[in-house]
Amino acid sequence: MDLPDAIHSLLRRSLLALLAVILLGCGLAFYTPARAQAMSLPEAPAQHAGEQAQAAELALSAWSRSELDAWWAALRAMDGAADKRGGLPAHLQPPEDPKAWATVALPDLSGRGASAGGIKAEPAVQMRWYRFRYAPEQGRWPTSVALYMPRLVSMAAAVLVRSNEGWQPIFDNQAGAREQWVRPLWVVFPAALTELRQHQMIDVVVAVPVATGAAFSVSTAWLGAREDVETRFQRRWWLQIGVPQATGLTLIALGLFSLSLWVRRRDEPAFLLFAILSAAWWVRNLHYHLELPRKALGLEWFWWLTNASMSWVMLLIFLFALRFAHRRFELLERCMVGFVLISGLLTLPWWNEVLGSSLLQHGANALVGTLAVLFVMRLAWSEGSRELRMIALSLMLSLLLGMHDLTLLAGAAWPEHIYLMPYATLLTLASFLYAVQRRYTGALSEVELLNRQLGERLQLQSTELQAQYERLREAERQQALLIERQRLMQDMHDGLGSSLLSAMVAVEQGSMDQDKVVEVLRECVDDLRLVIDSLEPVAHDLVALLATMRYRLGKRLQAGGLMLEWDVQDLPLLEWLEPPDALHVLRLMQEALSNVLKHARATRVRMVTRNHSRYVEIRVEDDGDGFDIATAQMGRGLKSQQRRALRLGGSLRIDSSLGHGTRLSLRLPVSREEAPGQQKPS
C-alpha cells in the first residue's frame, strides 16, 4: 500500500471509530437501570444494600456563613482523628426532631422542597440533610461498603453515619468541591464501622450546603457492596471524565498534525483554522484536565477563560465550515468575530455580576450558534456539497447536545445526565475528518485525472515527435547522400575524371605511348581506391587510415624502386575525423608520395607520426634530390595541398634543400572547435 492509500485508510478508520464512541457514549449516557427501586422511609421496611434510592428523608437547617465555616472547620478537625466522638457541635448536626424530616423524591433539583421544615426567613446558607436507611442483606454487611451518587451540585458536601456515639463523618469533599459539579460522588465506608453495625440498619446522611438563591442538584444514590457499586461509578467516571480527557488529548494531537499540514500548504486556511479550533476546544474543557484554582479571583478568571473559549469554538467551527462552501461571506464572518469579541469583554470578571452570569453568556452563544447552524445547513443543501452537508448535520446534532447541557447547567431537567458537549466534540471532529478525507481523496482523484490526461498528451506528443524525428532522419540521410554524391562527383571530376580525360585525348592523338597510358590508368585506379577507402568507417583512428593507405600504395612504391620506412606511433582518436576529412588526409599523403615517386629520384621514403598533446603530426621524408624552396614556384599541386590542410583545420609545411631530400609535415589538431558561423569544410 502506498502513502496516499495509507492516509486514506487511516482517515476512514478514525471516522468509524469516532462514530462508534459517539453512539456508545450517548447510549450509556441515557441508560437507566431497570432494577431501580424506591427508597425506604422510616415507617417502611429498609431496602437491602446495592439498590438505587429514588427517595430520601430531607431536613433543612438555616445557617449563617459563620456557622457553615464552623461546620467545615469541625469536619477538618475530625479528619484523621482516632476518636471522633462528640466532634460535631449539637447545632451543626442533623435535626433530631422527627417532625423536621419529610420525604423527598430523588433527584432533587434547585428550589424543590425549599419551604420544608417551616423555615421562614431567608438564610445565608441552607443546609440540606438527605437521610437514607439501609439494612444489610441477610443480616450481615459486606466487607467493604460504598456510596455512589451520579451527580451532586452544591458547595462542599459531606457524608455522616449514625453510630452508637452519634453522627460520625466519613467523607468531607472540601478538597474537591470545585470539581464536585462534574464528578460523581464516591464514598467508601470504613470497615470497622460496618462491622460494628452487623445485623442492624444503618442511617446515612448526605449533608448538602446550598447558598441562598443558588441552584443545586442531588441525584439518586446507590449503597451496597463495593464490588457491586464500583462498576457503576467507574462507568460514570469514564463517561463523564475519561471521554472528555481522551477527546481533549486527541484534539491536541490532531491540531498539531493539522498545523504541520498548514505549514506545508499555506494556501489551505482550513488546516490552520482546525489547529486553532482544537486548541480553543481544549481550553473549553480545561476543567477536565487541571485542578481548579484555590483562590476565588483565580477561579473567576478560570471560568471566564473556559466560558469565553466556547464562543471562540463556535466562531472557528463556523469559519471552518464556510471554507468548504463555494462562496465567501466576509460580512457575516466579521459580524461573528465582533460578537465573540464583545461577549468576551462584557463577561469579564470585573463586571460580570452587573451584566449577568455565565448562563446568560451560554444562552447568547446558543442563540447565535442556532442562527449560524441554520445558515450553514441552508447553504449546504443549496450548494450540494457533501462535505458541507456532513458538517452541517454534525453542527445540528452538536447544537442539540449543547441545548441539553445548557438545560442541565440551568438545573431545569435531566439532573442525572452527563454533559454531552465532549461528545459533540467527537461529532464535529468526525465531520471534519470526513470533510478532509473527501477533499484529500478528491484532490487525489484530480491529480490522477490530470496525470492520466498528461500521460495521454505526452504519449501523443511522443508519437508525433517520433514521426517528426523519423522524417528528419530520412531528410538528413537524403541530404547526406546528396552531399556525398556531389563530393564524389567533384572528386572524380577533379581527379579521376580529369586524368582519364587527358589520357583518352592523348591516346586519340597518338601522343602518349602505352607505358604512359598504363601509368595514368594505374594512378586512376589508386585514386579510385582512395575514394572508396575514405568511405569506410575508420572510427576517428588516423593510424588505421594511414595503414589502409600503406596497403593500397605499397606495391606501387615498391615497383617504383622506393623502400618505405614505417615509423608510425599510436595517436589519440580525432573525434572530428569523418569520411570527407579522411579523403583529404589520404589525398595529401597520396600526392606527397606521388611527388616523391615521380620527381625526387629517391630510394627511400619514411612515414612518421608523432603526438604533441594538442596536435598530431604526420611527416613524409625522402632522401631524394630536393629543391630550393626560395626559387621554386608554387604550382597547382602545392596550392591544392595547402587548401586541403586548411580545410582540415591544420597546417602544412614543406622543408627541402638541394641534395638533402624533402620533408612534408602535416599538423592536425586533436580537438577542432568551429568558429561561430563557420561551416565544416567538405
Side-chain angles (χ1 to χ4, degrees):
M1 181 182 293
D2 56 5
L3 183 58
D5 291 339
I7 296 177
H8 187 189
S9 177
L10 178 61
L11 289 173
R12 185 173 62 253
R13 292 178 181 178
S14 301
L15 180 61
L16 294 177
L18 286 173
L19 291 176
V21 171
I22 292 169
L23 295 176
L24 178 62
C26 293
L28 293 177
F30 290 98
Y31 170 72
T32 302
R35 61 187 297 267
Q37 299 183 16
M39 172 59 191
S40 65
L41 300 179
E43 294 79 7
Q47 295 291 336
H48 295 303
E51 295 180 353
Q52 184 183 27
Q54 293 185 322
E57 291 180 304
L58 173 64
L60 304 177
S61 298
W63 283 1
S64 64
R65 184 68 192 190
S66 60
E67 287 177 312
L68 181 62
D69 293 338
W71 156 266
W72 282 337
L75 292 177
R76 290 194 298 270
M78 296 179 67
D79 187 20
D83 186 6
K84 301 183 181 181
R85 291 177 293 179
L88 287 176
H91 68 285
L92 298 180
Q93 294 186 12
E96 293 294 338
D97 185 4
K99 296 181 180 180
W101 297 87
T103 303
V104 63
L106 297 179
D108 188 16
L109 299 182
S110 175
R112 283 201 293 153
S115 61
I119 298 176
K120 303 295 184 181
E122 188 175 274
V125 176
Q126 184 185 75
M127 176 60 77
R128 306 178 66 86
W129 311 94
Y130 293 88
R131 186 171 67 181
F132 307 95
R133 178 169 292 177
Y134 288 92
E137 189 173 3
Q138 297 179 355
R140 294 185 59 85
W141 283 94
T143 303
S144 180
V145 179
L147 171 67
Y148 156 63
M149 298 183 71
R151 180 179 302 282
L152 186 58
V153 180
S154 69
M155 290 188 284
V159 179
L160 310 177
V161 176
R162 184 189 291 276
S163 65
N164 295 331
E165 291 78 17
W167 290 102
Q168 180 179 336
I170 62 172
F171 175 76
D172 175 19
N173 201 29
Q174 293 182 57
R178 293 168 178 80
E179 296 86 9
Q180 180 177 280
W181 66 278
V182 76
R183 282 167 169 75
L185 184 67
W186 176 250
V187 182
V188 179
F189 287 42
L193 180 63
T194 56
E195 290 175 1
L196 292 175
R197 305 294 293 178
Q198 292 293 337
H199 305 284
Q200 301 180 35
M201 287 188 300
I202 186 172
D203 287 344
V204 180
V205 167
V206 179
V208 181
V210 179
T212 301
F216 67 89
S217 179
V218 180
S219 68
T220 57
W222 292 84
L223 179 64
R226 179 174 180 174
E227 59 269 18
D228 295 334
V229 181
E230 191 169 13
T231 302
R232 302 179 184 276
F233 165 72
Q234 290 177 347
R235 183 179 63 188
R236 180 77 179 200
W237 179 273
W238 168 249
L239 292 176
Q240 195 161 311
I241 307 298
V243 171
Q245 290 179 344
T247 302
L249 296 178
T250 303
L251 273 177
I252 289 298
L254 291 176
L256 293 176
F257 175 71
S258 181
L259 182 62
S260 66
L261 292 179
W262 177 78
V263 171
R264 292 176 175 268
R265 298 290 304 271
R266 297 293 183 88
D267 56 337
E268 290 286 349
F271 293 132
L272 178 61
L273 287 174
F274 184 80
I276 302 175
L277 172 62
S278 63
W281 216 319
W282 183 79
V283 173
R284 174 68 187 96
N285 295 329
L286 203 57
H287 52 277
Y288 291 109
H289 303 275
L290 302 179
E291 183 179 353
L292 301 185
R294 295 292 178 183
K295 296 184 178 298
L297 182 61
L299 190 61
E300 289 182 0
W301 280 101
F302 177 86
W303 286 123
W304 172 83
L305 178 64
T306 56
N307 292 331
S309 62
M310 190 62 213
S311 302
W312 286 101
V313 168
M314 178 185 65
L315 170 65
L316 292 169
I317 290 177
F318 181 71
L319 295 179
F320 182 87
L322 290 183
R323 291 304 174 273
F324 292 89
H326 300 307
R327 293 178 292 167
R328 291 295 306 275
F329 303 90
E330 296 183 358
L331 180 60
L332 184 59
E333 293 177 4
R334 292 175 183 174
C335 291
M336 289 285 292
V337 172
F339 165 77
V340 171
L341 293 176
I342 293 174
S343 64
L345 292 175
L346 293 180
T347 54
L348 285 171
W350 295 326
W351 46 72
N352 192 30
E353 294 182 358
V354 179
L355 296 177
S357 63
S358 60
L359 190 62
L360 181 60
Q361 180 183 12
H362 291 317
N365 287 339
L367 177 60
V368 175
T370 301
L371 297 177
V373 170
L374 292 177
F375 176 80
V376 172
M377 292 191 68
R378 178 178 177 275
L379 184 64
W381 260 258
S382 64
E383 291 191 353
S385 171
R386 294 181 61 181
E387 299 91 339
L388 193 56
R389 288 182 179 180
M390 181 61 70
I391 293 176
L393 182 60
S394 69
L395 291 181
M396 177 57 69
L397 294 176
S398 300
L399 180 63
L400 296 177
L401 297 182
M403 293 297 185
H404 167 273
D405 287 2
L406 189 61
T407 305
L408 185 60
L409 181 64
W414 310 309
E416 293 194 359
H417 286 188
I418 64 172
Y419 287 101
L420 298 179
M421 279 307 291
Y423 295 91
T425 306
L426 295 177
L427 278 173
T428 307
L429 178 60
S431 67
F432 287 177
L433 287 176
Y434 174 80
V436 172
Q437 180 196 26
R438 288 277 302 175
R439 174 166 289 190
Y440 177 76
T441 53
L444 285 182
S445 301
E446 291 181 1
V447 170
E448 292 174 356
L449 178 61
L450 291 176
N451 288 338
R452 187 163 57 251
Q453 293 176 350
L454 181 60
E456 293 174 356
R457 288 198 296 267
L458 287 177
Q459 182 64 30
L460 180 60
Q461 292 180 359
S462 177
T463 304
E464 293 178 354
L465 288 175
Q466 184 67 25
Q468 292 180 1
Y469 176 71
E470 294 296 334
R471 290 194 294 269
L472 182 61
R473 284 186 56 186
E474 180 63 23
E476 290 178 348
R477 190 177 68 84
Q478 294 294 337
Q479 184 179 10
L481 290 176
L482 178 60
I483 293 175
E484 191 66 20
R485 186 180 299 110
Q486 292 176 348
R487 183 180 66 81
L488 290 176
M489 291 177 62
Q490 184 68 32
D491 287 338
M492 293 181 67
H493 178 271
D494 295 342
L496 180 62
S498 178
S499 299
L500 288 175
L501 183 62
S502 300
M504 183 183 67
V505 172
V507 170
E508 289 177 349
Q509 295 178 354
S511 59
M512 181 178 294
D513 56 13
Q514 183 178 359
D515 293 338
K516 187 65 174 178
V517 172
V518 171
E519 181 180 358
V520 171
L521 292 177
R522 185 179 291 113
E523 289 179 357
C524 291
V525 171
D526 292 339
D527 189 75
L528 181 60
R529 287 174 176 175
L530 286 180
V531 172
I532 296 173
D533 290 340
S534 69
L535 297 178
E536 293 293 331
V538 295
H540 313 291
D541 190 352
L542 185 59
V543 175
L545 185 66
L546 295 177
T548 302
M549 184 195 68
R550 176 188 180 186
Y551 172 76
R552 295 295 188 189
L553 300 180
K555 293 182 180 180
R556 181 181 175 189
L557 295 176
Q558 186 177 3
L562 282 175
M563 183 181 65
L564 177 62
E565 295 182 2
W566 192 257
D567 186 11
V568 175
Q569 299 180 359
D570 290 337
L571 299 177
L573 297 180
L574 305 181
E575 298 296 334
W576 51 267
L577 188 62
E578 299 294 342
D581 306 308
L583 183 59
H584 287 308
V585 174
L586 291 176
R587 286 198 181 281
L588 275 170
M589 295 299 102
Q590 179 194 25
E591 192 164 352
L593 293 175
S594 296
N595 289 335
V596 173
L597 188 63
K598 292 180 180 180
H599 309 297
R601 290 185 295 182
T603 61
R604 180 176 55 85
V605 62
R606 185 166 177 254
M607 180 73 70
V608 182
T609 61
R610 293 292 183 267
N611 179 14
H612 298 282
S613 182
R614 297 182 62 183
Y615 66 91
V616 296
E617 182 181 16
I618 307 174
R619 295 199 304 269
V620 178
E621 302 174 351
D622 65 75
D623 59 351
D625 296 339
F627 60 92
D628 186 2
I629 296 296
T631 59
Q633 293 183 355
M634 185 176 295
R636 291 185 57 188
L638 187 56
K639 290 181 179 180
S640 175
Q641 287 179 316
Q642 293 285 2
R643 286 195 302 270
R644 291 183 186 276
L646 290 177
R647 289 178 180 176
L648 292 171
S651 61
L652 183 69
R653 180 176 178 178
I654 299 177
D655 296 318
S656 182
S657 60
L658 294 174
H660 294 86
T662 304
R663 183 176 66 180
L664 181 143
S665 175
L666 174 63
R667 294 182 177 183
L668 300 174
V670 175
S671 177
R672 186 171 68 184
E673 299 291 341
E674 293 183 2
Q678 179 182 355
Q679 295 183 355
K680 184 178 178 180
S682 58

